[in-house]
């Protein structure tokens, strides 16, 4: 059994994932704002999303230089996580800010666009911070589902709908390969944690073929 399942949650766990929590709250509030605001005021949702991502960025930078972990080491904030987290958050803020005039010019002012950017950034950050394959899969799906919808956001354009459908089908097959690969690796090593997988493979006199096959499916 994964030892992380028996770990009691502490305040440190919630502090470690605070950037992820900020993005989650930002996205949920943005969804509510789109319900009560007219499309002409979609820029306000955009600025709210930028503010939320900026808050997550500040918290992420405040934790640099110190390696922290939470939820039984399934989520880790270290130099790697902070580097890519900053990259994703800056890209997300730039995307939201630059999309406002484009959406207005093409009569697609909908707050859902900015909300999807936040959730896509959330998924990317979760992948960067994860040290566990199942958690990585959850982050990947959060990112992918948001991008599926973004690809088809221009609903009146045939190319946009086609792109969304093609990306959805490709992503569905890729998710199947990934899950099958995770299952094979877990069957060979008995765990889905990256560090534990490495230790298990090093301890084996000969790495089983099923482990190679699983890692190949994960890498597809």
């Amino acid at each position: 059994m994964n030892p992380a399942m028996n770990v009691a949650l502490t305040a440190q766990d919630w502090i470690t994932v605070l950037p992820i929590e900020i993005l989650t709250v930002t996205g949920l509030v943005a969804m509510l704002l789109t319900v009560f605001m007219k499309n002409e005021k979609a820029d306000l949702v955009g600025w709210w999303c930028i503010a939320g991502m900026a808050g997550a960025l500040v918290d992420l930078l405040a934790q640099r230089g110190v390696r922290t972990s939470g939820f039984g080491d399934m989520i880790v904030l270290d130099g790697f996580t902070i580097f890519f987290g900053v990259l994703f958050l800056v890209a997300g803020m730039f995307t939201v800010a630059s999309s406002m005039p484009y959406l207005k010019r093409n009569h697609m002012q909908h707050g859902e666009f900015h909300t999807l950017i936040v959730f896509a950034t959330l998924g990317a950050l979760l992948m960067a911070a994860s040290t566990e394959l199942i958690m990585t899969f959850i982050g990947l799906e959060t990112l992918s589902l948001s991008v599926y919808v973004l690809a088809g956001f221009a609903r009146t354009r045939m190319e946009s709908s086609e792109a969304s459908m093609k990306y959805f089908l490709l992503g569905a097959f890729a998710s199947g390969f990934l899950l099958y690969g995770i299952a094979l690796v877990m069957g060979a090593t008995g765990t889905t944690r990256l560090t534990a997988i490495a230790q298990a493979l090093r301890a084996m006199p000969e790495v089983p073929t099923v482990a190679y096959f699983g890692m190949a499916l994960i890498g597809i």
Side-chain angles (χ1 to χ4, degrees), residues 5 51 85 92 102 136 192 207:
M5 297 175 65
Y102 174 83
T136 302
T192 56
V207 178

Side-chain angles (χ1 to χ4, degrees), residues 121-138:
T121 307
L122 168 63
L125 181 57
L126 187 59
M127 288 179 62
S130 173
T131 62
E132 214 267 350
L133 288 176
I134 300 300
M135 191 68 67
T136 302
F137 174 75
I138 293 173

Side-chain angles (χ1 to χ4, degrees), residues 39-217:
N39 292 336
E40 292 76 12
K41 296 183 178 180
D43 285 358
L44 295 178
V45 179
W47 287 115
W48 163 257
C49 292
I50 290 175
M53 286 188 283
L57 178 61
V58 170
D59 181 78
L60 199 62
L61 291 174
Q63 301 190 56
R64 69 184 186 278
V66 179
R67 184 185 186 278
T68 59
S69 62
F71 296 90
D73 286 335
M74 287 195 297
I75 299 293
V76 171
L77 284 187
D78 53 12
F80 176 89
T81 303
I82 292 176
F83 173 80
F84 281 99
V86 170
L87 184 65
F88 296 146
L89 288 167
V90 170
M93 289 187 288
F94 178 78
T95 302
V96 171
S98 61
S99 67
M100 293 181 190
Y102 174 83
L103 295 175
K104 186 179 297 183
R105 186 168 60 251
N106 289 274
H107 307 289
M108 294 190 301
Q109 284 182 282
H110 301 286
E112 291 87 351
F113 183 92
H114 311 303
T115 306
L116 289 167
I117 296 294
V118 171
F119 283 118
T121 307
L122 168 63
L125 181 57
L126 187 59
M127 288 179 62
S130 173
T131 62
E132 214 267 350
L133 288 176
I134 300 300
M135 191 68 67
T136 302
F137 174 75
I138 293 173
L140 177 63
E141 288 303 296
T142 303
L143 168 64
S144 299
L145 290 173
S146 301
V147 179
Y148 295 159
V149 182
L150 287 171
F153 200 77
R155 292 171 293 179
T156 58
R157 297 175 57 182
M158 183 64 68
E159 312 90 78
S160 180
S161 300
E162 180 182 355
S164 181
M165 180 57 67
K166 287 181 176 178
Y167 187 27
F168 172 76
L169 293 175
L170 177 64
F173 281 108
S175 296
F177 290 145
L178 175 60
L179 284 176
Y180 189 38
I182 291 174
L184 292 178
V185 170
M186 183 178 180
T189 62
T191 181
T192 56
R193 182 165 303 191
L194 298 178
T195 54
I197 290 172
Q199 292 172 359
L201 292 177
R202 282 197 297 264
M204 293 177 181
E206 183 178 355
V207 178
T209 304
V210 67
Y212 285 119
F213 190 47
M215 287 185 284
L217 288 174

